[in-house]
Amino acid sequence: MTDITKIFRAIIKAQQASNRDLNRSPRTPSRWSTGFLSRAKTILNDIIKLKYLLLESRTNYLSPFYLLSTTNKIMNDEQRLEFERNIEKQIIRCRDDLEQLKSSIGLICFEGQRRSHCELVYAYLERDLVQCTKIYSEQKCLRYKRETERKKIGRLDNDVYRTILNFERKNTRKLTETSTENVTTTENSPSTMVTVPTSYDHYNHNENDEEIQIPSPVPTGSELRQLQIENDQLYHDVAQRSEEIHAISTQVVEIAQLQNELFDNIFGQKDLIEQVDNAAVVTNDDLAAAIIHIRDAVRNTAQMRHWVIFFLLVMIFSLLFLDWYNMSDTSTSDSDVEDNIEEESLPISFHVNIIHGLKSVSCLTLDTNGIRMITGGHDENMKMFDFSSMDKNFQPFRTIQPCRGRLLRAIEYSPNNDMILVIPGDCQAIVVNREASGKHIIYKSVLGDMYVTDMNRTKGHKSLLNYGCWNPSLNSQEFMTCADDCTIRLWSLNKRDQQLHVIRTKGESGRDVRTTTCTYNQSLYHNENSNLITAGCDNGSILVWDRRRSFVHVTFKCSNAHLQDEAITSLKWSYDSQILASRSMDHTLKLWDIRKFNKCLSSYENIPNHFSMTNISFSPNDKFLITGVSKLNNSNDNDTNGKLIIFDRNDLSKPVNEILFNDSVIRTMWHPKLNQIFTTTNNGLIRIFYDEQRSPMAGVRLCLNRKEKKDKSANDFIANINPILTSASSSDSLNDTREIFPDKKSLEEEKKSSSFHQHIVQTLVKSNFSEKEDPRVELLKHADEAERNPKWITPAYKYTQPKPIFQQEIDEEDNDDILPLLKKQKK
C-alpha cells in the first residue's frame, strides 16, 4: 500500500495559497498599464522628433537668401509654407493624442499612486508639447521679421539711379562729339558702331566693367527725359508695393504673436476646466451627504410633526366652535367696538383755545419739530407762538405786519425750519428768517412787468397771489407760487433775479385758466411720484406735471374734477404718494388715485365751503383725513354750524367723527410728530385737539401746566400812574404790532422825548399789570364763584325784589314817540 499523507498535505497547501490569492484586493490588469505607457512613449517620441526637426531645419527655414545660394538646402517660400503645414499637423495630432491619453486615465484607475503617476506623465508630456509650440511660434515670428528686413534692403534707391543717369548722359555727349568727327571722314559708311564703357548694369548686376555697343543714332534728350519719367513711375510703384508688403508683414508678425498668446491661454484654460470639474465633483458629494442628513432629520421629526398638526387642528376646530357660539353677541357689538377703536385712535379727547384776534385766521403753520406755531389772518398780523417758553395764557412772543394793507393768504415753514414763506394778497412773495427780527427779509420775489402780455417773458407775477409752498425735499431752496395771472412759478433763493420755471395753466379750449392752489408731492421717500407738481384751477380742473419732462404739456389732467366755475381751494397728497385729495367751493371733498386719474376714487358732498383758504390734512399714519366746514349764515341749527369732519381715507361715504364749532372752520393741520390737530375759525380762534395717551408731551401740552409769568415791578402805584401816560409811553401793549417796513418818521418820533415827566415814566414804568394780563380773562375766572356765592348786589335785593325785572324790547315802528326818551337797543 502507498502512503498518501504527503499528497494530502500538498493539496491542503495549494488550497490555502489559492484562498490567500482570493482574499487579496483585486489588481488592475497589466494590459491597462502597458497600454497607457506604450501610448505615452509613442507621444513622447513624436514630440522629440518634432523638436529635433524644428532645431535641424532652423537655419534653412530662417535664411531668406535662397536665390543666391549655390546649394538646394535653403528653402524657398513654397517649401516654407509646406513645412509650416506639416509642423502644425504634427502639433495638432500630438495634442489630440494627449487628450485621449488624459481621458483614459479615469478608465485605468480612480485613485492612489497609479493615478497620480499617470497624471504626472501627462503633465510632463503636455509641458514638452508646449515647449515645441513655443519654439515653432518663435521661429515663425523671426522668419517674418527677416523677410521684412530683406524686402526693406531690396527697395530701389532713387538717388543712386539719378547719379547713374547723369554719368550715362556725359558718356553719350562724348560719343556724339566723336561721331560727328568720324562722319566727316567717312561719309560713305551708312552707320558706325560706338563702344561705351559702363560701370553698372541695372538688369544683370555685373561687377566688372563692360563695353556696351550703342548705335550711331544716339537717343535725344526728350527720349532720355521720357525714359527718366517712366523710371520714376516704376520707382514709385515699387515703393508703394514695398510699403504694402511691409504693412502686411508686420500684421503677420502680430498675428503670430497673438497666436502664441492664444496657445498659452488655451493651455491655461485646461487647468481651469480641471479645477471646475474637481469643484463640481466635490459639491456633488456634499449635496449627496446633505440629502442623506436631511432624510435622517425628516425621519427623526416625522412623529413630532404629526403631533403638531394634530394640535393645530384641534385648536382650529375649537376656535370655530367658539366663533359660532358667540356669533350673535359679536354681531350686535361690532359697530360699537369699531367706533370705540376709531375714537381711541383719534387725538380729540381734549382741546385748547388760543385767541389770535377778532377776524378770520386764514394761515396756520408749524415747524417740523412742533416747537413754534405761526398764524395769520385778515387782520394783516402774523403772530408767532413758542410752545417751549409760552405759559397757559398762550400769548405770542412776536407780532408783525409783513405787508401793510394786504391780507395774508398762506404762511409756511421751510423743510429745515430756518425760513418762513409768506404769501400776502399781493404780487410778491416774501421769505423771512426764523425769528422774523432784525434784517429778517431774506428774499422778495421779483415783480412782473405790467405791460408784457406774454407770461413766459415776465420775470415774476403781475397779479395777486393765491397760494405758495416750499419744496418738501430737505436742504431745498425752492418754493412755488400761483396767482391770478394763470401761471405757476418756481423760485429759488440761489437765483434771485427771476423765476426758475413758468407753468401756464390752460383749459380744454386752450385759454388760460386762473390758478387757485398748487402743491408739491409730500412723499418722504424717493419714488416715481415725488417729482409731480399739482395745480387746481377756478374751472374745477386738476392739472399734474412731471418735473422730469417739459412743462409745456400736462402729464395728468382731469378737466371735470369739480363743478365748472367752482374754484378748488386745496390739494393734498397722501404720504404714500398714491392718493390726491381735493376740496372745492362746490361743497365737495374727493379722492383721486394717480394710477386711475380720470375717475374719482371716492367723494363726499354737502359740506359747505365759503372760504378760499379751506384745506385738507392727512393723519400721520395715512389712514384718516380732516377738513373744515363753513357755517351757514341764515340758520342757527346744529347741522349748519361749522364742523371739523374726520374721514376714513379709503371710504368717504360716511364721516368717522364730527366736531361742532360755533363758527366756520377754515384751516386744519394734523401734525405728524405731535399727533395734535390744529384748526382755525373765522372769529379769530385757534383750537388745538390732543390726547393725553396718544399725543406726546410736546407742543401745546408743554404750556398747560406752566404758571402765569408776572412782572416783579407790577404794583398799585404803577397801575395808578398808567392813565397819565402819553401815547408814546404806552408803546408796549398787549397786542404789540410791528411793521416789517417802519417809516422814518415813526423812528424819529420814538427817539425824541417830549418832556421830563415822560422820560421818568418811561424809565420807571416798564410794564403794567393790566398790560400783561387781559382784564376780561381775569374777571371770567371768578364768574363761577360769584354765581355760587354772591356777596354784593344780589343779597341786597333778595327780600325787596326776589324776582328781577328786565327792560322789554321796544319796536321802532310801533313806538316812535318813546324812542327819544330811551336809548336805541343794540342788535
Side-chain angles (χ1 to χ4, degrees):
M1 294 179 64
T2 59
D3 190 5
I4 60 172
T5 55
K6 294 182 179 179
I7 298 170
F8 179 71
R9 289 177 182 175
I11 292 169
I12 290 172
K13 288 182 179 179
Q15 188 68 28
Q16 289 178 355
S18 63
N19 291 333
R20 287 173 193 159
D21 294 336
L22 291 172
N23 292 328
R24 290 178 184 176
S25 60
R27 297 180 180 179
T28 56
S30 60
R31 57 188 179 87
W32 291 103
S33 60
T34 54
F36 177 82
L37 294 176
S38 62
R39 280 187 289 171
K41 288 179 181 179
T42 54
I43 294 170
L44 181 62
N45 292 329
D46 294 338
I47 293 171
I48 292 170
K49 289 179 182 179
L50 180 62
K51 189 174 182 180
Y52 284 143
L53 180 62
L54 289 172
L55 294 176
E56 287 177 359
S57 61
R58 180 182 179 87
T59 55
N60 297 331
Y61 175 74
L62 294 177
S63 179
F65 305 106
Y66 63 91
L67 295 174
L68 301 178
S69 63
T70 57
T71 63
N72 293 326
K73 292 182 180 180
I74 298 174
M75 300 179 184
N76 55 13
D77 293 338
E78 294 179 356
Q79 292 175 354
R80 287 192 181 93
L81 292 174
E82 186 66 24
F83 178 73
E84 290 174 358
R85 291 194 194 97
N86 295 330
I87 295 296
E88 289 175 358
K89 287 180 181 179
Q90 292 179 9
I91 290 171
I92 292 169
R93 188 175 66 252
C94 292
R95 191 181 299 117
D96 295 337
D97 294 339
L98 279 175
E99 291 294 332
Q100 294 177 2
L101 185 66
K102 182 181 178 181
S103 61
S104 65
I105 293 173
L107 299 175
I108 295 171
C109 53
F110 295 99
E111 60 185 4
Q113 295 181 357
R114 187 178 295 277
R115 183 179 179 86
S116 62
H117 173 70
C118 295
E119 290 177 352
L120 288 174
V121 171
Y122 170 76
Y124 283 123
L125 293 175
E126 186 179 10
R127 186 190 62 183
D128 294 338
L129 182 61
V130 170
Q131 290 178 357
C132 287
T133 53
K134 285 184 179 180
I135 293 169
Y136 170 67
S137 60
E138 290 175 358
Q139 288 183 4
K140 193 173 182 180
C141 293
L142 186 60
R143 178 234 168 172
Y144 281 110
K145 286 182 181 179
R146 290 187 178 182
E147 189 71 21
T148 54
E149 291 176 358
R150 183 181 66 80
K151 290 179 180 179
K152 285 182 182 179
I153 293 170
R155 290 167 58 184
L156 296 175
D157 194 353
N158 197 7
D159 296 334
V160 176
Y161 177 70
R162 287 177 181 174
T163 54
I164 294 169
L165 286 176
N166 293 328
F167 179 74
E168 289 180 353
R169 286 176 183 173
K170 290 179 182 179
N171 292 332
T172 52
R173 287 176 184 175
K174 291 179 181 180
L175 289 172
T176 52
E177 289 177 359
T178 53
S179 63
T180 53
E181 292 176 359
N182 293 327
V183 166
T184 54
T185 55
T186 60
E187 294 178 352
N188 295 323
S189 61
S191 62
T192 59
M193 300 296 291
V194 182
T195 61
V196 180
T198 59
S199 63
Y200 185 81
D201 190 359
H202 293 284
Y203 302 101
N204 296 325
H205 301 281
N206 295 325
E207 295 179 359
N208 298 324
D209 294 333
E210 296 179 358
E211 292 182 358
I212 302 173
Q213 293 181 359
I214 299 173
S216 59
V218 179
T220 60
S222 62
E223 293 178 353
L224 290 174
R225 291 191 196 93
Q226 187 175 1
L227 292 173
Q228 186 177 359
I229 291 167
E230 291 177 355
N231 195 5
D232 292 336
Q233 291 179 356
L234 292 173
Y235 173 75
H236 287 301
D237 293 339
V238 172
Q240 290 178 358
R241 295 290 176 85
S242 64
E243 290 177 357
E244 293 177 357
I245 292 167
H246 177 66
I248 293 169
S249 62
T250 54
Q251 292 178 359
V252 170
V253 172
E254 292 177 356
I255 291 168
Q257 293 176 355
L258 293 174
Q259 190 176 6
N260 191 7
E261 294 178 358
L262 180 62
F263 288 154
D264 296 337
N265 293 329
I266 289 170
F267 286 115
Q269 286 179 358
K270 291 182 180 180
D271 298 333
L272 293 175
I273 291 168
E274 290 178 357
Q275 294 177 2
V276 171
D277 190 7
N278 296 329
V281 172
V282 173
T283 52
N284 192 8
D285 296 337
D286 294 338
L287 286 173
I291 290 168
I292 293 169
H293 288 301
I294 291 169
R295 185 175 59 192
D296 296 337
V298 169
R299 289 176 180 175
N300 294 329
T301 59
Q303 187 176 3
M304 186 66 186
R305 186 169 64 250
H306 292 319
W307 282 106
V308 170
I309 292 171
F310 177 74
F311 176 74
L312 291 175
L313 289 173
V314 170
M315 293 299 294
I316 289 168
F317 282 113
S318 62
L319 290 174
L320 290 174
F321 175 74
L322 292 173
D323 191 10
W324 171 78
Y325 183 75
N326 297 324
M327 187 177 294
S328 60
D329 297 335
T330 55
S331 62
T332 56
S333 61
D334 281 341
S335 60
D336 298 335
V337 172
E338 289 178 358
D339 295 338
N340 294 329
I341 292 170
E342 290 173 353
E343 290 179 358
E344 289 177 358
S345 62
L346 299 175
I348 57 176
S349 301
F350 304 93
H351 70 273
V352 174
N353 294 331
I354 299 176
I355 299 173
H356 172 84
L358 300 177
K359 296 183 179 181
S360 300
V361 183
S362 59
C363 305
L364 175 67
T365 183
L366 281 88
D367 57 359
T368 56
N369 298 322
I371 298 174
R372 288 190 177 183
M373 178 181 69
I374 301 176
T375 59
H378 292 178
D379 57 354
E380 305 171 6
N381 294 329
M382 186 177 79
K383 295 188 177 182
M384 305 177 68
F385 300 86
D386 192 350
F387 295 123
S388 61
S389 61
M390 188 168 54
D391 56 6
K392 62 181 180 180
N393 286 329
F394 304 111
Q395 296 296 327
F397 72 91
R398 184 167 288 111
T399 302
I400 62 173
Q401 285 185 353
C403 190
R404 178 183 289 181
R406 301 291 182 183
L407 304 180
L408 299 181
R409 304 283 299 176
I411 300 172
E412 187 173 341
Y413 268 104
S414 64
N416 292 333
N417 303 322
D418 56 347
M419 292 177 289
I420 303 168
L421 174 64
V422 182
I423 305 296
D426 199 356
C427 303
Q428 295 176 286
I430 302 171
V431 179
V432 299
N433 58 13
R434 177 179 173 82
E435 300 296 333
S437 61
K439 296 181 180 180
H440 47 271
I441 298 178
I442 298 174
Y443 176 67
K444 195 172 184 180
S445 62
V446 182
L447 182 64
D449 193 350
M450 297 297 176
Y451 300 99
V452 177
T453 58
D454 190 0
M455 293 295 103
N456 294 324
R457 297 183 180 275
T458 59
K459 296 182 179 181
H461 291 289
K462 63 178 185 178
S463 299
L464 299 181
L465 299 176
N466 290 325
Y467 191 72
C469 58
W470 287 98
N471 190 337
S473 60
L474 295 176
N475 300 323
S476 177
Q477 303 288 328
E478 179 184 323
F479 63 93
M480 175 173 54
T481 58
C482 62
D484 290 339
D485 57 0
C486 308
T487 59
I488 299 172
R489 298 178 188 267
L490 303 180
W491 307 85
S492 177
L493 299 181
N494 299 325
K495 185 179 180 182
R496 304 194 174 197
D497 54 349
Q498 63 179 3
Q499 69 276 348
L500 290 177
H501 300 285
V502 180
I503 307 173
R504 299 182 65 178
T505 55
K506 296 182 180 181
E508 291 184 349
S509 60
R511 295 183 179 180
D512 293 338
V513 180
R514 189 167 61 91
T515 311
T516 57
T517 184
C518 58
T519 182
Y520 287 96
N521 195 306
Q522 63 178 359
S523 176
L524 300 177
Y525 307 98
H526 182 73
N527 55 13
E528 59 182 2
N529 296 333
S530 61
N531 296 309
L532 298 181
I533 293 175
T534 314
C537 305
D538 61 348
N539 64 346
S541 62
I542 301 175
L543 308 177
V544 183
W545 294 269
D546 193 345
R547 293 178 66 104
R548 296 169 294 184
R549 302 177 184 176
S550 176
F551 291 118
V552 177
H553 301 289
V554 181
T555 306
F556 302 100
K557 183 177 181 181
C558 186
S559 302
N560 299 321
H562 292 274
L563 294 179
Q564 192 74 16
D565 298 331
E566 294 293 341
I568 297 175
T569 61
S570 178
L571 293 172
K572 192 70 173 179
W573 284 95
S574 61
Y575 289 103
D576 59 359
S577 303
Q578 298 295 334
I579 303 299
L580 176 67
S582 62
R583 188 82 161 91
S584 176
M585 298 291 286
D586 61 354
H587 316 305
T588 60
L589 173 65
K590 295 185 178 181
L591 294 180
W592 308 87
D593 193 344
I594 193 62
R595 294 163 291 188
K596 297 179 182 179
F597 199 65
N598 294 327
K599 186 178 180 181
C600 178
L601 188 64
S602 181
S603 64
Y604 189 79
E605 300 178 353
N606 298 325
I607 46 176
N609 181 13
H610 301 298
F611 294 90
S612 60
M613 287 76 70
T614 304
N615 69 329
I616 314 164
S617 182
F618 280 88
S619 63
N621 57 6
D622 223 0
K623 293 182 180 179
F624 304 98
L625 71 156
I626 58 174
T627 185
V629 180
S630 301
K631 179 182 178 181
L632 297 178
N633 296 327
N634 298 327
S635 179
N636 294 324
D637 298 335
N638 292 331
D639 295 336
T640 59
N641 288 339
K643 297 178 185 178
L644 174 65
I645 304 180
I646 304 174
F647 293 95
D648 188 359
R649 169 191 157 173
N650 298 323
D651 187 12
L652 298 181
S653 61
K654 183 181 179 181
V656 176
N657 202 336
E658 295 182 359
I659 302 173
L660 296 177
F661 282 72
N662 294 327
D663 297 288
S664 300
V665 180
I666 301 176
R667 302 291 294 184
T668 58
M669 183 177 182
W670 198 328
H671 199 275
K673 286 189 177 181
L674 300 178
N675 196 20
Q676 299 174 4
I677 299 174
F678 296 79
T679 60
T680 64
T681 60
N682 65 335
N683 62 350
L685 184 68
I686 304 164
R687 182 171 293 181
I688 304 171
F689 296 90
Y690 65 94
D691 187 80
E692 292 183 351
Q693 296 180 357
R694 299 186 179 276
S695 300
M697 193 62 186
V700 74
R701 295 188 63 188
L702 296 173
C703 311
L704 297 177
N705 298 326
R706 288 179 183 162
K707 296 182 180 180
E708 300 176 3
K709 296 179 181 179
K710 295 183 179 180
D711 194 359
K712 296 180 180 180
S713 62
N715 50 36
D716 296 336
F717 176 73
I718 295 174
N720 293 328
I721 293 177
N722 187 43
I724 65 174
L725 296 179
T726 60
S727 61
S729 64
S730 61
S731 60
D732 297 332
S733 60
L734 180 62
N735 296 325
D736 183 15
T737 59
R738 292 182 295 167
E739 299 178 1
I740 288 183
F741 306 101
D743 298 335
K744 294 182 179 179
K745 294 181 180 180
S746 61
L747 295 174
E748 293 176 358
E749 289 177 358
E750 290 179 359
K751 293 180 181 179
K752 294 179 181 179
S753 59
S754 60
S755 62
F756 179 74
H757 176 266
Q758 182 179 355
H759 174 70
I760 293 173
V761 172
Q762 287 179 356
T763 55
L764 293 177
V765 184
K766 295 182 180 179
S767 62
N768 194 4
F769 180 79
S770 62
E771 294 175 353
K772 290 294 181 180
E773 297 182 359
D774 191 1
R776 181 175 177 274
V777 175
E778 294 296 326
L779 290 174
L780 290 175
K781 288 180 181 179
H782 306 283
D784 297 335
E785 183 66 24
E787 186 176 357
R788 289 194 300 268
N789 299 319
K791 292 181 180 181
W792 307 106
I793 299 174
T794 305
Y797 295 96
K798 184 176 181 181
Y799 299 102
T800 59
Q801 190 178 351
K803 185 177 180 181
I805 300 173
F806 298 101
Q807 182 181 357
Q808 297 180 357
E809 294 183 358
I810 301 171
D811 296 334
E812 296 180 3
E813 297 178 357
D814 299 337
N815 300 321
D816 295 335
D817 298 335
I818 307 176
L819 287 175
L821 300 176
L822 300 174
K823 291 183 179 180
K824 189 176 180 181
Q825 299 295 325
K826 293 183 180 180
K827 294 183 179 180

